[in-house]
Amino acid sequence: MTVEAPIRVEDKLFQNRYLVDVGNAHIKVKPHTKPSAELLALIKVCPAHCYELNTNGQVEVTPDGCVECGTCRVIAEGNGDIEWNYPRGGYGVLFKFG
Amino acid sequence: MIEERFDAIVVGAGMAGNAAALTMAKRGMKVLQIERGEYPGSKNVQGAILYADMLEKLVPNFREDAPLERHLVEQRFWMMDERSHTGLHYRSDDFNEEKPNRYTIIRAQFDKWFSGQAQEAGAIVLCETTVKELVKDAYGKVIGVITDREGGEVHADVVVLAEGVNGLLGTKAELRDRPAPDNVALAVKEMHFLPRETIEARFNLKGDEGVVIEAAGTISRGMTGMGFVYANKESVSVGIGCLVADFQKTGETPYDLLERFKKHPSIAPLIEGSEVKEYAGHLIPEGGYKAIPQLYGDGWVVVGDAAQLNNALHREGSNLAMTSGRIAGEAIFQVKSRKDPMTKENLALYKKMLDDSFVIKDLKKYKDMPDLLHIQSQNFFLTYPQLINKALQNFVRVDGTPKVDKEKVTIKSFVSARSWTGLFGDAFRFARAWR
């Protein structure tokens, strides 16, 4: 049986153009000790893999590669797990083709 | 920022926003359009197919200079299992007409052009500007917006919310709810570049002829979703999307799904050797008629994806966006011409005109389809595609088995998977939702 190497979404995101607003993350995860089911879901559902589990078992977000789809907002904003805003004008992902 | 007052502010420069801005500017209204991207289109993602008729109503001679990729002469629907596909193809030379009916487009390029049309008509387009909040007066009427520019408050008689499926403004201002996970699909897409001769050879095309493939089946692993392959001039758009609620439930990752779709033996040869230049993700409104929010109020209307206007079954989103934007612009102009205020009562005209158009009529027709496909997703996206592909293989494979025995095997496979009651029930429910 062949085992396929896991897909690295980072390689995909590398194709994209971004203007990162350093120090102004447009998505924030509310401080928590134990992540909710919704937060945990984001680790897999986010198409840019912006969510990861840190060594303390908390969910962290690094929205540098965010494609601004809003999936995490749909899942986890309602219960207050995350705070979602659009990046400042001109910042964020810049699609050449879209 | 801008001191003057506008007749209308349009938030967003996608299909709906550009249509609204163009419609109003053409009629001499003072329009300000605000776009958060670097240029109109830089935040917009679509498959993408453009339907000529809806654009013709806005820009009759668009074929002269709009950036179009290929006009479609062929449509393929594929029902897939792991190694096969059963296809329904429609190809006609009638589509090689003087004024073609459908085109593939690249949104970032198309939207830039479309916005140019609105600007030529007199609309002022302000890019790299994010609208943060709606401004309301003491009576709750929307009277303008606050942007992230310095002193960025600007006023108008009416605000057209063309902010897309993930519209924050409308939710923040409590005009509508955030989309629910079972009312939106997440689609991911890649742009695969190939020489145009290669694309033409692989897809059986000549010149600017184009083809699109819509695919459903085990590729979505039991989730409600579809894949697509669209031929552009020198690129192929490849993507797949499933309901967010299903992703959440299954823990599938969208890029893993896309990789599997690309590796499917029916898809891989079409994109082999290509250079990938972009990866995008976007939400698609899938809730249909039942998910349409309140469409107008005191000083505001909502259009396009933000209003959940998408016919998922016919894959018509951008033309519903374009049409709703145009109708909103026309309704606003009528209210203004009568010198009436932009109250909820007067803006109800937009809803009335939209109800009379194909937009709401089509969505109403399929109002039960989203629920059916979602609840039955395992059957429609896993069981049936497998059964059908197996049945077809059994039918075409010649191995000395008498045909009567082959038929028995196929019928038995359907009945043991779904039972007679299940089969008739599914057919009945599908027919009823279609009606």
Side-chain angles (χ1 to χ4, degrees), chain A residues 29 32 34-46 51 53 59 71-82, chain B residues 178 181 244 247-249 251:
Chain A
V29 175
H32 57 277
K34 201 170 163 280
S36 65
E38 286 82 6
L39 267 184
L40 287 171
L42 301 185
I43 297 170
K44 288 192 162 176
V45 179
C46 170
Y51 292 86
L53 217 51
V59 173
T71 303
C72 57
R73 177 180 170 236
V74 166
I75 293 176
E77 191 191 51
N79 58 7
D81 276 337
I82 64 166
Chain B
R178 176 188 318 107
V244 168
F247 272 123
Q248 195 179 348
K249 199 168 63 191

Side-chain angles (χ1 to χ4, degrees), chain B residues 199-378:
Chain B
I199 291 174
E200 282 152 25
R202 285 181 189 178
F203 287 89
N204 189 21
L205 305 167
K206 60 177 197 300
D208 284 343
E209 287 177 344
V211 51
V212 294
I213 304 170
E214 311 285 350
T218 62
I219 49 166
S220 66
R221 315 188 102 184
M223 299 188 284
T224 306
M226 277 185 86
F228 62 88
V229 180
Y230 297 164
N232 306 314
K233 269 195 182 113
E234 291 173 331
S235 61
V236 180
S237 308
V238 185
I240 189 164
C242 297
L243 279 185
V244 168
D246 285 352
F247 272 123
Q248 195 179 348
K249 199 168 63 191
T250 59
E252 295 281 353
T253 54
Y255 36 91
D256 180 43
L257 218 57
L258 179 61
E259 284 311 300
R260 282 171 185 275
F261 182 53
K262 281 160 54 187
K263 285 194 185 116
H264 189 284
S266 298
I267 302 288
L270 297 172
I271 51 173
E272 196 191 332
S274 64
E275 187 192 350
V276 183
K277 291 195 180 172
E278 193 167 83
Y279 169 72
H282 205 268
L283 292 179
I284 304 171
E286 298 281 347
Y289 184 74
K290 291 176 183 169
I292 299 173
Q294 173 67 30
L295 293 169
Y296 60 95
D298 280 328
W300 64 273
V301 296
V302 58
V303 293
D305 276 10
Q308 283 269 339
L309 302 176
N310 176 38
N311 183 342
L313 203 68
H314 288 256
R315 309 152 337 276
E316 289 180 45
S318 68
N319 57 332
L320 270 58
M322 221 185 271
T323 304
S324 63
R326 174 176 61 78
I327 290 175
E330 283 169 1
I332 289 167
F333 177 71
Q334 279 193 38
V335 173
K336 189 188 151 62
S337 312
R338 292 197 295 254
K339 296 197 165 56
D340 284 339
M342 296 291 166
T343 56
K344 183 172 183 178
E345 217 170 36
N346 292 329
L347 289 170
L349 177 64
Y350 161 54
K351 168 82 165 38
K352 196 197 162 295
M353 288 165 70
L354 204 62
D355 281 345
D356 290 340
S357 74
F358 78 94
V359 174
I360 299 294
K361 283 181 185 161
D362 283 358
L363 291 176
K364 216 174 199 169
K365 171 172 159 53
Y366 296 120
K367 64 182 191 316
D368 296 324
M369 202 54 99
D371 289 344
L372 175 72
L373 292 181
H374 191 196
I375 294 162
Q376 299 265 333
S377 72
Q378 291 282 329

